[in-house]
Amino acid sequence: AQSVTQLGSHVSVSEGALVLLRCNYSSSVPPYLFWYVQYPNQGLQLLLKYTTGATLVKGINGFEAEFKKSETSFHLTKPSAHMSDAAEYFCAVRPPMEYGNKLVFGAGTILRVKS
Amino acid sequence: EAEVAQSPRYKITEKSQAVAFWCDPISGHATLYWYRQILGQGPELLVQFQDESVVDDSQLPKDRFSAERLKGVDSTLKIQPAELGDSAMYLCASSLDHVSSYEQYFGPGTRLTVT
């Protein structure tokens, strides 16, 4: 079984400050990992994903995440927060295709950006 | 840019009533997913279709929920009778096929309030 833990249901940063959203996963096989963003009353938009290869992945809007197998983590970062980054962020995991394709989401982290 | 369409965007219904949601996936996408997102939680998969066939409905409360995708294109999710605990956001997503299921594209969702 797979699971995702997002540390901190709410994170608040100042505009221009570093954004760090934490995600740890549990998986019996090397997983595929994702970050999604959700704005109020909207669906989810894929920010970035890790499947294989380079462990540092870059996504849209200046976000990036690093897969650390030894720490079972996939933290999301952005060097400088912008007001438009305020949203809810979800980390998700799924096994490689041969083990199934069900996405399992974390509970989400609401990011607040202060001016 | 192609999008997943959902309707209605908002629905208020009384408990014990029937309610239905509609989803039109991105054209050509064979795999369709229905998720339920309870406030403060991440999305949870209810049912997955590959073309017109259900491939995973393990988390669908089958005593009151039903889903169909008769022609393998658009889909309807129904709840009868609705209960207070069904209040949530219902998200539809689609992907090219189950192989590329990590590339899931989400619709804007239907927010259901049961009174």
Side-chain angles (χ1 to χ4, degrees), chain A residues 61-77:
Chain A
N61 302 338
F63 285 93
E64 62 183 36
E66 186 171 12
F67 169 56
K68 292 187 176 180
K69 183 178 178 181
S70 61
E71 299 178 7
T72 61
S73 69
F74 191 57
H75 302 331
L76 181 71
T77 61

Side-chain angles (χ1 to χ4, degrees), chain A residues 34 38 41 43 49 90 94 101, chain B residues 9 37 42 101-103 107:
Chain A
F34 311 84
Q38 185 177 34
N41 292 314
K49 64 181 185 287
F90 292 93
R94 59 150 285 194
N101 58 11
Chain B
R9 292 292 311 277
Q37 184 180 17
S101 66
Y102 54 83
E103 296 280 8

Side-chain angles (χ1 to χ4, degrees), chain A residues 32 34 36 38 40-46 49 51 88 90 94 97 100-108, chain B residues 9-10 35 37 40-43 45 48 56 58-59 89 91 98-99 101-104 106-109 111:
Chain A
Y32 294 165
F34 311 84
Y36 284 85
Q38 185 177 34
N41 292 314
Q42 294 187 27
L44 278 68
Q45 180 184 9
L46 182 65
K49 64 181 185 287
T51 54
E88 189 162 17
F90 292 93
R94 59 150 285 194
M97 183 194 66
N101 58 11
K102 186 174 181 177
L103 265 178
V104 175
F105 287 87
Chain B
R9 292 292 311 277
Y10 304 90
Y35 290 87
Q37 184 180 17
Q41 299 181 21
L45 181 68
Q48 176 183 342
D56 185 349
S58 57
Q59 299 303 310
M89 175 79 89
L91 295 165
H98 69 282
V99 175
S101 66
Y102 54 83
E103 296 280 8
Q104 293 188 26
F106 284 80
R111 181 166 296 283

Side-chain angles (χ1 to χ4, degrees), chain A residues 2 25 27-32 95-96 99:
Chain A
Q2 299 188 304
Y25 68 90
S27 177
S28 56
V29 296
Y32 294 165
Y99 296 96

